[in-house]
């Protein structure tokens, strides 16, 4: 797909498409702080406006300062495993377990007597959205949306970035009803994967999924969405006091097979038959 054909509407359709484009994902998530937080004078990456350009990054934070920040907050960078629906594992980059969804196999009987219809909604993968000619979602049907969240919820918002566009097109007679205005669209390469980049400016109708972890900041925000998965792999504020803040994600595996053991507190795996199993006999045997 070339940049001239990737319109603002196509960008919005891609941002709505995540629930139908993957079932499991493994990734690194790196939080980004405003430039003022570490004495920086500029952004850590600059949006590109040339189709097919290779991603080039400039270090916005030196390693010594990064180390100080990580000592203060070890969740600055984390490894995550997500398997839909609702399974999440979070580790530090050194492999220390921070969180896991330990109740993925428990009964959900209580949900179905809760007095509302939400528990009866189907998973998005089981319903059909309206798609455009390129296979991106124009209008999302009613379904049980939502990714498992950890910390501020930034990873959950990035995994399904529908907050960038809303679940459906807005009427033509409603000016500025889109949650954000989109400019400077470019097709780029993000860690070896095709992605679409744009600069978004939120309107008054923008509502982040998590108030403490908006994908869009006041003023302009540069974002990148992975073309295959619809995941928002990067966001960065370009204006004001928040300039430089956002996140950076590296997708390491898509639709890999993930055992329940990844998400359970205690492994319930089978015995490793390669290991010797002693058979203790009594004195009379």
């Amino acid at each position: 797909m070339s940049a001239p054909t990737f319109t603002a509407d196509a960008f919005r359709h891609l941002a709505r498409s995540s629930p139908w484009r993957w079932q499991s994902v493994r990734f690194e998530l790196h939080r980004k702080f405003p430039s003022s937080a570490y004495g920086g004078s500029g952004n850590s990456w600059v949006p590109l406006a040339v189709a097919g350009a290779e991603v080039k990054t400039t270090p916005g934070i030196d390693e010594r300062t990064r180390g100080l920040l990580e000592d203060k907050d070890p969740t600055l960078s984390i490894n995550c495993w997500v398997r839909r629906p609702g399974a999440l594992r979070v580790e530090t980059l050194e492999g220390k377990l921070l969180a896991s969804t330990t109740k993925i196999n428990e009964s959900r009987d209580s949900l179905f007597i809760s007095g509302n219809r939400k528990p009866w909604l189907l998973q998005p993968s089981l319903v059909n959205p309206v798609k455009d000619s390129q296979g991106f979602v124009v209008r999302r049907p009613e379904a049980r949306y939502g990714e498992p969240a950890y910390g501020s919820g930034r990873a959950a918002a990035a995994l399904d970035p529908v907050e960038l566009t809303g679940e459906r097109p807005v009427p033509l007679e409603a000016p500025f009803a889109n949650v954000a205005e989109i400019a400077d669209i470019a097709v780029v390469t993000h860690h070896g994967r095709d992605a679409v980049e744009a600069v978004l400016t939120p309107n008054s109708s923008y509502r982040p999924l998590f108030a403490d972890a908006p994908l869009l900041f006041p003023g302009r925000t540069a974002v990148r969405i992975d073309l295959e998965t619809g995941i928002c792999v990067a966001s960065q504020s370009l204006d004001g006091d928040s300039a430089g803040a956002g996140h950076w994600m590296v997708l390491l595996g898509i639709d890999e097979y993930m055992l329940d053991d990844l998400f359970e507190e205690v492994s319930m795996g089978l015995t490793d038959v390669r290991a010797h199993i002693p058979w203790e006999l009594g004195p009379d045997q």
Side-chain angles (χ1 to χ4, degrees):
M1 183 178 301
S2 61
T5 63
F6 216 101
T7 64
D9 283 341
F11 183 91
R12 291 187 175 101
H13 298 171
L14 175 61
R16 297 184 183 116
S17 298
S18 171
W20 295 273
R21 300 187 74 83
W22 58 273
Q23 287 302 309
S24 69
V25 64
R26 176 170 55 94
F27 61 92
E28 288 181 9
L29 177 67
H30 303 274
R31 292 167 54 195
K32 298 168 68 64
F33 294 90
S35 300
S36 58
Y38 49 83
S41 59
N43 300 313
S44 57
W45 60 280
V46 179
L48 302 173
V50 180
E54 185 73 21
V55 168
K56 298 181 180 179
T57 61
T58 56
I61 177 171
D62 61 78
E63 291 305 315
R64 178 180 178 276
T65 305
R66 181 180 299 278
L68 294 174
L69 287 171
E70 287 180 341
D71 289 342
K72 183 177 180 180
D73 184 355
T75 64
L76 174 66
S77 297
I78 54 178
N79 278 323
C80 300
W81 292 255
V82 175
R83 187 188 68 189
R84 287 169 165 162
L88 170 68
R89 179 183 182 88
V90 181
E91 294 181 354
T92 66
L93 297 186
E94 292 72 33
K96 179 183 178 182
L97 180 64
L98 297 176
S100 63
T101 47
T102 59
K103 300 179 180 180
I104 56 175
N105 291 319
E106 289 189 356
S107 171
R108 290 170 168 76
D109 291 350
S110 60
L111 288 176
F112 297 97
I113 56 174
S114 61
N116 64 70
R117 58 193 300 272
K118 183 176 180 180
W120 299 95
L121 295 176
L122 295 175
Q123 295 298 326
S125 60
L126 299 178
V127 293
N128 293 320
V130 177
K131 296 183 179 181
D132 63 16
S133 60
Q134 299 176 94
F136 302 140
V137 173
V138 177
R139 180 183 296 270
R140 289 164 59 128
E142 189 177 17
R144 192 188 305 169
Y145 298 105
E147 308 296 341
Y150 172 76
S152 67
R154 176 166 295 279
L159 290 174
D160 183 12
V162 67
E163 71 177 66
L164 300 178
T165 63
E167 296 187 350
R168 59 187 60 84
V170 299
L172 293 176
E173 65 272 11
F176 304 109
N178 282 306
V179 299
E181 303 304 314
I182 300 173
D184 298 329
I185 301 173
V187 177
V188 298
T189 302
H190 184 89
H191 290 277
R193 299 176 58 86
D194 289 337
V196 182
E197 177 181 277
V199 175
L200 277 65
T201 304
N203 289 323
S204 58
S205 56
Y206 172 66
R207 297 291 184 273
L209 181 63
F210 296 93
D212 293 335
L215 295 180
L216 298 183
F217 296 86
R220 299 171 304 150
T221 302
V223 300
R224 286 181 182 151
I225 299 182
D226 183 72
L227 193 56
E228 177 187 354
T229 63
I231 294 172
C232 179
V233 291
S235 72
Q236 180 174 270
S237 174
L238 301 178
D239 299 322
D241 294 338
S242 63
H247 76 276
W248 188 270
M249 188 181 291
V250 183
L251 302 185
L252 302 174
I254 307 298
D255 288 338
E256 296 176 328
Y257 183 70
M258 295 183 181
L259 291 170
D260 282 359
D261 284 12
L262 270 175
F263 311 104
E264 292 286 357
E265 186 174 12
V266 178
S267 172
M268 300 300 290
L270 298 176
T271 301
D272 186 350
V273 297
R274 296 170 298 179
H276 174 66
I277 303 176
W279 188 282
E280 300 293 339
L281 300 178
D284 298 329
Q285 301 296 323

